[in-house]
Amino acid sequence: MTVLAALAALTACAGPYQYYEGTGIHDTTAAEVAGGWENVEGTRVVLRHDGTAHFKKLDGQDFDFEDGWRLSGTGTWQLTDDDGGQVVRLALTARTRVESRSRHEATDTSPPGPPSAYAWSFHVDRDQHDELKLFFFYGDPDIGNTYVMTRETGS
């Protein structure tokens, strides 16, 4: 009984993100990933063939999403591959604009200001039609919310 109680306590906070092992996608090329990507919230990311990137209204991932900032700017990107699958690593090198997704209620503690440098890790996946999609997790990892980017219409 003691072992079960200890095991339950250890796994009580373990959500889907904490055990996420990747998409298992290993066959995507950088040329396939390059191009325009969008999100229903008005986010737009352009990954250029030369490894540079331009993005507009990109939210923070994981718990940073809760701070409500949205960054626009330029940066770099690369497609990496590990045991769990491929990941697009995007790094902000020049922030050009900061917006707020929502207003925070007045509290004793204000959320931290937006970062001047930031890095995202987008998992590479395919939908039921074999079309690429990019995503990262946001918010509380126990919930497993995903921020999905799809190929920009017309790209």
Side-chain angles (χ1 to χ4, degrees):
M1 185 72 163
T2 304
V3 173
L4 288 177
L7 202 61
L10 287 173
T11 60
C13 296
Y17 172 67
Q18 292 173 331
Y19 297 113
Y20 187 70
E21 295 183 14
T23 61
I25 302 291
H26 297 283
D27 63 349
T28 305
T29 65
E32 267 186 289
V33 174
W37 296 88
E38 62 188 358
N39 176 287
V40 296
E41 297 293 321
T43 299
R44 183 169 186 264
V45 175
V46 177
L47 305 175
R48 297 188 180 107
H49 291 278
D50 65 359
T52 61
H54 176 78
F55 43 94
K56 180 177 146 187
K57 298 183 181 180
L58 188 52
D59 295 287
Q61 70 182 80
D62 298 325
F63 280 113
D64 292 337
F65 183 84
E66 313 269 335
D67 294 337
W69 47 256
R70 308 186 86 198
L71 301 177
S72 296
T74 57
T76 60
W77 73 278
Q78 65 178 351
L79 178 65
T80 63
D81 196 352
D82 61 26
D83 291 341
Q86 291 174 298
V87 174
V88 171
R89 309 234 185 250
L90 176 63
L92 168 68
T93 57
R95 187 178 76 186
T96 58
R97 185 175 178 147
V98 175
E99 296 177 50
S100 180
R101 186 177 60 256
S102 62
R103 297 213 181 272
H104 288 279
E105 295 179 22
T107 61
D108 292 339
T109 59
S110 300
S116 57
Y118 196 78
W120 295 263
S121 294
F122 287 91
H123 297 278
V124 177
D125 201 3
R126 295 189 186 274
D127 66 16
Q128 66 273 19
H129 304 292
D130 206 34
E131 298 293 325
L132 283 180
K133 64 180 181 177
L134 306 176
F135 73 92
F136 61 74
F137 292 98
Y138 70 91
D140 186 335
D142 290 338
I143 297 171
N145 291 323
T146 55
Y147 189 95
V148 179
M149 302 288 294
T150 57
R151 186 63 71 183
E152 190 173 54
T153 307
S155 287

